[in-house]
Amino acid sequence: MTIADIARTADGTGSAAPIYRAENVTRTYAQKGRTVKALTGVDLTIGRGEFVTIQGPTGGGKSTLLQMLGALDRPSSGSLMLGEMELASASARELNRVRAEDIGFVFQGFNLIPTLTAAENVNMALEPGLLGRAERAARVSEALAQVGLDDRGDHLPSELSGGQQQRVAIARAIVKRPRVLLADEPTGNLDESMRDEILALLERLCAGGITMIVVTHDSAVARRATRRLRLARGVVQDITG
């Protein structure tokens, strides 16, 4: 079974039911004696297998929303469902499991460990003790093949191009076979040619069943998505089309 097969059937039904449902989600912070409203009453539904981009001005709440979707932070109020799990009230242990099993993260900086090979960097994303050595090796090989780097597993990051390093970072994100891939400016450090290669890869992964949510300032990236959102002053608008 491939990573795509796992993503398509993760809910046991293969249905197109929403993977995320947010209702009146808010997030406020106390900062220097004042209250900062990062998210203000967000209502949002994201379907399984969608490719969604989120644009908006700096400070508009994009990173805060991505942290919510990634179970890295909780809403101040409102409901945020991942499948049938209420993230707003889930325990710390449940959120740890969600991050370890259901969600992959990709960032603008590749965040690879320079002294580890590509395969070793990918292997770091697998929870220790849950898989045998042979299964871990098989998953790492599969993930590298998914991103077109099956012949680069023994290379150090310094021996890879920027585009190849981001592919390793994507392999690290999908090796756990997640339902969702969250990416924060994944092409921000790449030239146009490398950007388009990474976008084509993300599109293939999404076509295979992984829900893709990408924060970007690049309109060329946003136009590749099947759905476009804009987040400004803590409010989400659908600007698809």
Side-chain angles (χ1 to χ4, degrees):
M1 182 173 286
T2 67
I3 292 170
D5 295 329
I6 294 291
R8 280 194 295 268
T9 60
D11 66 344
T13 67
S15 73
I19 193 163
Y20 281 112
R21 287 169 290 175
E23 296 181 2
N24 199 28
V25 167
T26 70
R27 186 66 174 99
T28 59
Y29 301 93
Q31 187 178 78
K32 295 182 179 179
R34 64 189 182 97
T35 299
V36 176
K37 297 180 179 179
L39 297 177
T40 308
V42 170
D43 293 307
L44 178 64
T45 299
I46 297 176
R48 298 177 190 275
E50 277 198 283
F51 186 171
V52 179
T53 54
I54 304 173
Q55 295 175 277
T58 300
K62 301 185 302 298
S63 294
T64 299
L65 180 58
L66 207 66
Q67 289 175 346
M68 297 287 178
L69 298 176
L72 293 167
D73 195 6
R74 300 175 190 268
S76 298
S77 64
S79 171
L80 178 58
M81 303 288 293
L82 172 61
E84 297 304 315
M85 176 178 286
E86 174 58 77
L87 297 180
S89 59
S91 67
R93 183 174 182 177
E94 288 172 326
L95 294 179
N96 284 337
R97 184 198 62 76
V98 165
R99 292 191 298 269
E101 299 178 8
D102 293 332
I103 301 173
F105 298 91
V106 178
F107 303 98
Q108 179 174 347
F110 314 131
N111 297 331
L112 302 178
I113 299 174
T115 56
L116 299 183
T117 65
E120 290 168 339
N121 268 283
V122 174
N123 183 62
M124 290 290 290
L126 293 172
E127 283 286 287
L130 295 183
L131 299 171
R133 181 177 298 179
E135 175 64 16
R136 291 177 75 93
R139 287 206 187 186
V140 169
S141 295
E142 178 186 283
L144 287 171
Q146 286 277 97
V147 302
L149 290 179
D150 45 323
D151 60 343
R152 295 288 191 273
D154 60 349
H155 286 55
L156 294 171
S158 60
E159 299 170 326
L160 301 172
S161 69
Q164 288 173 329
Q165 289 184 58
Q166 190 61 300
R167 285 174 180 265
V168 174
I170 293 171
R172 182 180 57 197
I174 65 174
V175 70
K176 67 179 82 171
R177 298 175 174 172
R179 292 190 284 170
V180 180
L181 190 66
L182 302 178
D184 192 357
E185 298 285 357
T187 61
N189 285 339
L190 306 176
D191 61 29
E192 287 189 9
S193 176
M194 289 295 100
R195 176 199 68 191
D196 291 343
E197 285 189 18
I198 293 300
L199 285 175
L201 170 59
L202 295 179
E203 287 171 336
R204 289 197 301 273
L205 292 171
C206 187
I210 297 178
T211 302
M212 196 75 56
I213 303 173
V214 178
V215 167
T216 182
H217 284 99
D218 189 338
S219 293
V221 173
R223 285 193 293 269
R224 300 280 286 267
T226 55
R227 188 170 169 211
R228 296 173 63 182
L229 304 176
R230 177 175 173 80
L231 181 56
R233 297 184 178 179
V235 178
V236 172
Q237 292 179 304
D238 194 319
I239 59 171
T240 306

